[in-house]
Amino acid sequence: MEILRVPKYPANATVARLMLSQAHSGRVRANLKIEGSMSGLMEDRDHETVAQAEDWAIEGAEQRRASVLIIEDRT
């Protein structure tokens, strides 16, 4: 068993989570969820590669000033 511990971050931090999974025709399904103390956002999008999905999530997290981006790769 492997245990991954995510470090603690401030209670008022904006946290972005990216869940990657397989989509149709070999594409990657990216589910991005960003949660802040005052607002939230969830968006799904298909990409050709994992790298494209991660770039998209990083850009979205930076735009919303996320303190943390957690990526879970289930591809």
Side-chain angles (χ1 to χ4, degrees):
M1 170 178 38
E2 186 175 350
I3 298 172
L4 303 174
R5 184 177 300 274
V6 177
K8 291 183 181 181
Y9 40 85
N12 62 347
T14 298
V15 178
R17 289 173 170 43
L18 175 64
M19 173 81 68
L20 300 172
S21 59
Q22 289 292 329
H24 299 294
S25 303
R27 295 177 64 86
V28 176
R29 166 64 67 167
N31 176 274
L32 179 62
K33 182 178 183 181
I34 301 176
E35 299 172 311
S37 60
M38 301 284 286
S39 65
L41 165 88
M42 186 182 295
E43 187 174 350
D44 286 324
R45 190 177 288 185
D46 285 354
H47 298 273
E48 290 186 25
T49 65
V50 168
Q52 288 176 345
E54 289 178 353
D55 288 344
W56 169 73
I58 291 167
E59 183 179 324
E62 287 175 342
Q63 286 177 354
R64 289 160 187 87
R65 293 185 169 91
S67 302
V68 178
L69 172 60
I70 301 167
I71 300 174
E72 186 174 343
D73 189 345
R74 294 183 178 185
T75 59

